[in-house]
Amino acid sequence: MKLDAILWDYDGTLVNSVPKNMAITKSILEIVAPHLTGDNLPLYLQTEALYHQANHSAKNWQELYLEYYGLTHDEMLLAGSMWAEQQLNNQTPVMLFDGIKQVVTQFSQLPHGICSQNAQHNIRSILSKNGIHNQFKAVVGYDDVPSQYQKPHPMGGMKCLEAIYGHKQRQQLIYIGDHEADTQFARSLQLALGDQAQVISIAAAYSGSQPQDWTHQPDHIAYGVEDLVPIINQYL
């Protein structure tokens, strides 16, 4: 079975968006939970290392806001509804991980796609800025999928494949992501595509995640960006 496409997560996989995500979260807290700002800023928003710890430990963004940042349920729902707009408005720079551009261009013979919970406009802007936008035949962001069908639901992946090929049936895919939910997403996409397809999950541990501790294990772990190349080559 020959590899047909490489699908990527965005935040923590293609780009180091931690500084921007922290800035956005702090801005949201100033609006929905001002009691959690200033001297009362949640511990896990005080340093990038602590942010990574919370982000990769939480099962989803709802748990992140409730259990690690200390928001109430109503505050969490309001914060979630503001995220897309705040992403578009926040101007904190976002950088590709070192070596990512080289990986993408090395496998330019394959179509690439992105299935992310970031805004499509933000993603396309960064791809264009770095000169790799032509490699990505589809970008499915938060605003392209109803909230109840965000990852790990497979809808984003199905939409991504349809945008690349005009249909949703491919033989072999790779999905690369830095969160346990990304591994679950790959498994969900496998189920949605059926037995004739294969979805290989690669965990991007170079962003600070700890895949060895996940309940849902990926097929491969990339501890550095350079590890992606030999893993992908196995399927060519």
Side-chain angles (χ1 to χ4, degrees):
M1 193 178 289
K2 189 176 180 181
L3 188 62
D4 290 291
I6 302 174
L7 306 183
W8 301 77
D9 177 41
Y10 178 71
D11 295 287
T13 302
L14 287 170
V15 301
N16 177 19
S17 53
V18 169
K20 181 169 183 174
N21 287 346
M22 290 180 68
I24 292 170
T25 304
K26 291 174 184 178
S27 296
I28 290 174
L29 290 185
E30 289 177 358
I31 300 169
V32 305
H35 60 284
L36 294 175
T37 60
D39 292 340
N40 295 319
L41 186 70
L43 174 67
Y44 295 101
L45 287 171
Q46 293 182 16
T47 69
E48 288 193 21
L50 289 169
Y51 176 90
H52 274 299
Q53 180 181 334
N55 185 49
H56 289 114
S57 297
K59 294 179 180 178
N60 50 47
W61 70 268
Q62 292 96 331
E63 182 177 292
L64 180 66
Y65 276 64
L66 292 171
E67 302 299 328
Y68 292 87
Y69 299 161
L71 276 71
T72 66
H73 186 265
D74 288 344
E75 289 169 344
M76 177 271 292
L77 292 176
L78 182 56
S81 71
M82 298 176 61
W83 184 259
E85 180 181 359
Q86 291 291 325
Q87 278 186 329
L88 292 173
N89 293 335
N90 189 280
Q91 299 301 311
T92 304
V94 173
M95 306 295 291
L96 293 178
F97 283 107
D98 288 342
I100 282 291
K101 183 174 181 177
Q102 289 75 12
V103 172
V104 172
T105 55
Q106 180 167 342
F107 296 103
S108 60
Q109 76 274 25
L110 293 169
H112 294 254
I114 293 174
C115 307
S116 171
Q117 290 181 308
N118 207 308
Q120 183 180 149
H121 173 80
N122 283 341
I123 297 170
R124 290 191 180 278
S125 176
I126 295 299
L127 296 179
S128 180
K129 180 179 178 181
N130 287 277
I132 55 174
H133 55 288
N134 289 331
Q135 304 292 338
F136 289 86
K137 307 306 180 186
V139 176
V140 176
Y142 177 87
D143 38 348
D144 300 306
V145 180
S147 59
Q148 68 270 31
Y149 296 119
Q150 297 289 330
K151 293 187 298 184
H153 192 281
M155 179 180 282
M158 301 296 275
K159 288 175 70 73
C160 196
L161 293 177
E162 190 167 22
I164 293 173
Y165 297 108
H167 56 83
K168 305 170 185 175
Q169 298 177 348
R170 299 311 300 172
Q171 293 296 310
Q172 189 176 70
L173 312 167
I174 282 176
Y175 185 72
I176 306 169
D178 72 312
H179 200 279
E180 185 174 6
D182 292 308
T183 297
Q184 292 175 275
F185 173 72
R187 304 302 181 227
S188 298
L189 185 56
Q190 170 75 71
L191 289 173
L193 291 171
D195 293 338
Q196 297 304 309
Q198 182 183 20
V199 182
I200 300 138
S201 171
I202 302 178
Y206 51 80
S207 68
S209 62
Q210 301 291 326
Q212 64 273 14
D213 297 331
W214 296 349
T215 300
H216 300 86
Q217 284 292 298
D219 298 303
H220 302 276
I221 300 175
Y223 292 98
V225 171
E226 66 279 2
D227 294 336
L228 292 171
V229 173
I231 294 172
I232 295 171
N233 274 329
Q234 293 180 40
Y235 299 95
L236 295 179

